[in-house]
Each structure stands twice: as structure tokens, then as C-alpha cells.
Amino acid sequence: MSVYKRLSDVFASAEVIPFDNNSNIVLMSDCHRGDGNWNDNFSNNQNLFFAALNYYYERNFIYIELGDGDELWENRNMKQIINMHSDVFWLMSKFYYECRLYMIYGNHDIVKKNKQFTICKMDFYDEVKRKKSPLFPDIVIYEGLILQHKLTGDKIFLTHGHQGDFLNETVWGVARFLSRYLWRPLELIGFKDPTRAATNYTKKEKAENKFIKWSIQEKQILITGHTHRPVFPKPGEHLYFNDGSCIHPRCITAIEIKQGTISLVKWALDTKKDRTLFVGRQMLEGPELLKDYFKM
Ligand SMILES: [Mn+2]
């Protein structure tokens, strides 16, 4: 099925979350949280991610994870991933219990669309209470979500962005098999998986062009992850945004929607004059007024 048709289908059946100019929403994706092994690409950025998420927690943001949050192609064991990154899961769980967490699945965590998987595999051992607690009880993990403005009715469509990609969607079992048994061992000795959208530039551009075309023809803001390459159009260009990833070698990127604006930010280690290190947040693009895109 074509990318266009798949996006339209997901859009048509997506759950709606109302928002307004007082809402604070942060979008991050492609964390690919792993089991802590040295091909766990998230491990490098775990502190950046935790600091960023804490910042958003304190400022009353809603966190929407746009897919590929966990690396479940290379790893089959969700519990090991939760154990390895327990601080992150603990904080995400706090967001969830305050109704401030939404999750979308991608291709690498497509198994989360199976409700049974989500419920039984996502609990953790609470060392204080000495018992197992569910991290996200009864969570529904979506393929797509729509943020709809309470006053104007304008919509922002959110999905991971693997839709219509033959290898990553239709025969994802084959792709996962290759990833788990061929690319993972090869990665351990220094090779990179050439089929991934995230590492293949021609593939990235092709995917981006399809998303841009959909956003223009449907006159609809579309935000995805998946390619690991941030996209932030100026008002008047097109309506396709990408939040980047959390596994860039030196930073993580996020899209913030707050007080009726949208911006692209980067979190990275920085140094002060006295050479102490700190986690800094830097605005890469924006803030732009959302209404300037809506009226296109
Ligand atoms: Mn992906």
C-alpha cells in the first residue's frame, strides 16, 4: 500500500487529543532504548534524555513518544530494557499516572500494538515496596494521534513515519530477523545496517518527500520521527515536521508545542566558563506561531 494511502488511513482512524494555547506538549522519538549492551545506542544519551524529561515534567508538559521508543528488533526482552533504563521508565510512569504520557509505536517496537505484550511486559520491580508494579497500567499504544485545537478545530497529525515502507512495515518480521540475527552481530564488529531509514540518506530523502507531498495535498500538519533527521519548515513552505531522534552521537532533539507556538530544540552537554559540564537546551528552529501554519 502507498505511503499516501497509509497515512490517510491512520489519520482517519486516529484518536483525538484536545489542546489549546495554554497546553505544553513535547514530542520525542526514536530513543531505541536497549539492554545496555554496547550496541544500545540510547545508553550514550540516557543522562541527556533524563534531564530533558525532568525539565518537561517540572514544567507540566505532556510527553508524546512518537515511536521506536524501545529497540525490540535487536532485543526480545522488554524487562531487561526496563531494568537497564529504570530511571527513565520511572519518570515516564510518573507522567503516565498524571495522564501526561501518550505513546505511539514505530517499526522497531511494533509489537506494542499487541495489547497483551504491553500489559504483561511493561512492569517493574519496585525495590522500596518489594513488589512488582505496572509501569503503565491499561495503556493503549497508538499508531497515530491527532492534536486538535479546542477553539479553532485545527489539527496536528502525529505518527511514527514507517507507514507504507515495504521492508519496515509489510515484511517487518523479515527486517526484524535480519536486524536481530545478521545486522546486530555485524554491528558488534563495526558494520552498520544499510537498510535502516535512519542510516540511508537516499531513503531518508525519499520518505521525506512523500511526507511533504501528503502534508501539502491534505493541507495538514504532519509530525513524524523514523528517519532520525529533524525537519522544520518555515510558515509557507510545507507542513511536514520531524522531531529527529534521541540517539544522535552528541545530542537529542525534540519538538515543543507550547503557548500556541512550535519549536525544534536540542539537548546536549555543554561547558561553563569554569569548565564544569551541564545539560543545555538550545533552540534550533522557531518558535513559530502555529496559526501561521494552520492558515496555509
Ligand atoms: Mn523507525
Side-chain angles (χ1 to χ4, degrees), residues 30 32 67-68 106-108 160-162 168 197 225-228:
D30 298 271
H32 293 270
D68 283 0
N107 46 321
H108 286 251
H160 178 61
H162 62 287
N168 279 309
H226 186 54
T227 63
H228 298 191

Side-chain angles (χ1 to χ4, degrees), residues 27 36 63 69 131 158 168 172 187-188 194 197 201 206 214 223 269 280-281 289-290:
L27 311 171
Y63 172 41
K131 62 170 194 183
L158 313 173
N168 279 309
W172 64 268
E187 200 180 11
L188 285 169
Y201 289 100
K206 269 194 190 159
W214 189 91
I223 309 181
L269 266 192
R281 169 177 163 279
L289 288 172
L290 276 171

Side-chain angles (χ1 to χ4, degrees), residues 19-262:
F19 80 108
D20 59 24
N21 287 358
N22 293 318
S23 310
N24 292 336
I25 299 163
V26 60
L27 311 171
M28 291 191 273
S29 73
D30 298 271
C31 303
H32 293 270
R33 287 179 295 265
D35 61 0
N37 207 320
W38 72 266
N39 58 354
D40 176 353
N41 298 319
F42 179 72
S43 285
N44 265 343
N45 291 346
Q46 149 159 323
N47 290 330
L48 294 179
F49 184 83
F50 188 73
L53 206 55
N54 228 334
Y55 170 98
Y56 294 123
Y57 182 79
E58 282 166 4
R59 285 161 184 77
N60 217 25
F61 273 74
I62 290 170
Y63 172 41
I64 305 181
E65 193 161 86
L66 278 192
D68 283 0
D70 300 298
E71 179 45 69
L72 292 162
W73 277 11
E74 290 179 6
N75 312 291
R76 14 168 104 241
N77 194 339
M78 187 68 214
K79 291 200 168 116
Q80 221 170 321
I81 298 177
I82 292 170
N83 265 340
M84 190 59 214
H85 303 293
S86 54
D87 52 348
V88 164
F89 280 96
W90 166 79
L91 189 49
M92 280 168 54
S93 179
K94 276 177 60 167
F95 270 93
Y96 183 73
Y97 277 93
E98 292 174 28
C99 303
R100 293 203 270 141
L101 177 85
Y102 294 89
M103 275 186 187
I104 286 175
Y105 61 80
N107 46 321
H108 286 251
D109 54 358
I110 203 163
V111 285
K112 288 181 189 164
K113 78 176 172 189
N114 170 357
K115 210 166 181 321
Q116 217 42 41
F117 175 91
T118 311
I119 293 166
C120 18
K121 304 279 172 87
M122 295 180 95
D123 54 12
F124 77 125
Y125 186 74
D126 188 325
E127 284 170 29
V128 181
K129 294 183 192 151
R130 297 198 170 190
K131 62 170 194 183
K132 269 194 192 167
S133 313
L135 282 167
F136 315 111
D138 297 323
I139 193 170
V140 178
I141 304 192
Y142 302 95
E143 179 165 18
L145 285 169
I146 292 169
L147 298 174
Q148 183 166 35
H149 199 283
K150 284 179 194 163
L151 295 177
T152 64
D154 291 318
K155 293 173 180 174
I156 299 175
F157 176 37
L158 313 173
T159 191
H160 178 61
H162 62 287
Q163 286 79 5
D165 178 337
F166 181 73
L167 189 64
N168 279 309
E169 186 175 60
T170 318
V171 291
W172 64 268
V174 176
R176 183 176 71 175
F177 176 85
L178 291 174
S179 173
R180 199 175 272 170
Y181 300 109
L182 180 68
W183 304 126
R184 185 173 191 259
L186 283 176
E187 200 180 11
L188 285 169
I189 56 168
F191 286 97
K192 283 281 170 210
D193 172 356
T195 59
R196 276 197 190 178
T199 46
N200 184 322
Y201 289 100
T202 345
K203 214 176 162 190
K204 265 184 218 210
E205 225 161 85
K206 269 194 190 159
E208 280 166 5
N209 288 336
K210 287 178 182 168
F211 298 142
I212 289 171
K213 185 176 155 206
W214 189 91
S215 79
I216 294 172
Q217 288 192 1
E218 300 294 320
K219 295 189 172 54
Q220 175 57 59
I221 295 183
L222 164 67
I223 309 181
T224 75
H226 186 54
T227 63
H228 298 191
R229 182 152 78 173
V231 178
F232 195 94
K234 291 263 174 277
E237 284 179 1
H238 56 79
L239 296 167
Y240 170 60
F241 296 77
N242 190 307
D243 67 359
S245 84
C246 293
I247 56 166
H248 185 278
R250 288 172 303 279
C251 66
I252 66 178
T253 51
I255 284 181
E256 295 177 1
I257 293 174
K258 60 174 187 190
Q259 320 287 318
T261 69
I262 183 164

Side-chain angles (χ1 to χ4, degrees), residues 264-276:
L264 177 72
V265 301
K266 161 180 143 173
W267 289 86
L269 266 192
D270 215 336
T271 29
K272 291 183 192 162
K273 271 198 175 135
D274 65 359
R275 296 182 307 283
T276 51

